[in-house]
Amino acid sequence: MSNSDKEMPYIIDKVTGNLAPHIGAEDNRQKAEELLLGEKGFSAADISVDHPVSVEVNGQDYASALDLLVFVDGKPVMVIKCAAGSLDSRQKEVIAAARVCIDPIPPIAASTDGSEWLLWDVKSGKQMGRGADSVPDKSRAGDILAAYTPEPLEGKALMRERLIFRSYDMDNVNVARKAY
């Protein structure tokens, strides 16, 4: 039986209400959305699912999507990578995504498997929290955003972060295609 002969399972996305293919890390994303919408106090309007992004790398546009992008008062506050496996291995990818894909640059980058969470400060790249309790609620996220001044990258640093994002993201896309 070929992949095209299989019937793809779907689930209803908690943020959008749309059908989402039930493959890869989709369960992890749904758990993350549930936390954000529930105890963290964000609304569906505060969360962008599969947020489209495009970055220029070596003169070519590279288009992709971020798993989740969280906003407070219309301003980006947190990029979230939903994945299985080692969350530590997602640090460079999600920080690079926050630094080069979103304008203005959000202060928080996070990775989650739906249960465990790791959060990093986008400016310094240092870990700022571990576990669901470290995920800021909407009020705290607003306070973090108010005290934050984005520092856009330029020159070689900008190109390096774009290459990091594209390299990790291309690997994810290829793995996801093989999963089903």
Side-chain angles (χ1 to χ4, degrees):
M1 177 182 287
S2 73
N3 286 347
S4 62
D5 294 333
K6 293 180 184 178
E7 183 160 330
M8 185 175 298
Y10 289 89
I11 58 176
I12 297 175
D13 185 86
K14 290 176 179 14
V15 169
T16 66
N18 297 331
L19 289 177
H22 194 184
I23 58 173
E26 192 58 42
D27 280 335
N28 302 343
R29 176 167 37 198
Q30 295 309 309
K31 289 176 186 173
E33 290 177 9
E34 190 173 314
L35 177 76
L36 294 169
L37 293 168
E39 71 179 74
K40 300 303 176 178
F42 292 95
S43 70
D46 297 323
I47 304 167
S48 179
V49 176
D50 286 330
H51 186 84
V53 296
S54 180
V55 295
E56 183 185 318
V57 180
N58 296 329
Q60 296 182 333
D61 285 334
Y62 176 76
S64 188
L66 304 176
D67 291 339
L68 298 172
L69 181 59
V70 182
F71 295 85
V72 172
D73 296 330
K75 296 176 185 166
V77 68
M78 182 168 41
V79 173
I80 302 172
K81 176 69 182 174
C82 303
S86 171
L87 299 179
D88 289 313
S89 68
R90 304 299 180 157
Q91 177 182 7
K92 287 183 180 181
E93 174 186 7
V94 73
I95 291 172
R99 288 176 175 168
V100 301
C101 295
I102 306 301
D103 186 25
I105 299 168
I108 304 168
S111 64
T112 183
D113 64 6
S115 299
E116 184 60 49
W117 287 76
L118 289 178
L119 281 74
W120 295 278
D121 176 282
V122 171
K123 263 188 204 180
S124 70
K126 294 181 180 178
Q127 187 173 317
M128 60 185 285
R130 179 179 214 103
D133 289 343
S134 69
V135 177
D137 64 15
K138 187 173 180 176
S139 174
R140 176 76 183 118
D143 292 343
I144 291 169
L145 195 56
Y148 175 72
T149 304
E151 293 179 10
L153 301 174
E154 296 179 357
K156 289 182 181 181
L158 177 61
M159 183 52 66
R160 184 187 74 236
E161 292 294 317
R162 287 176 176 172
L163 286 168
I164 290 169
F165 171 72
R166 184 189 67 179
S167 296
Y168 278 97
D169 192 69
M170 285 178 73
D171 188 46
N172 291 334
V173 169
N174 291 332
V175 168
R177 285 189 184 136
K178 292 176 189 175
Y180 210 83

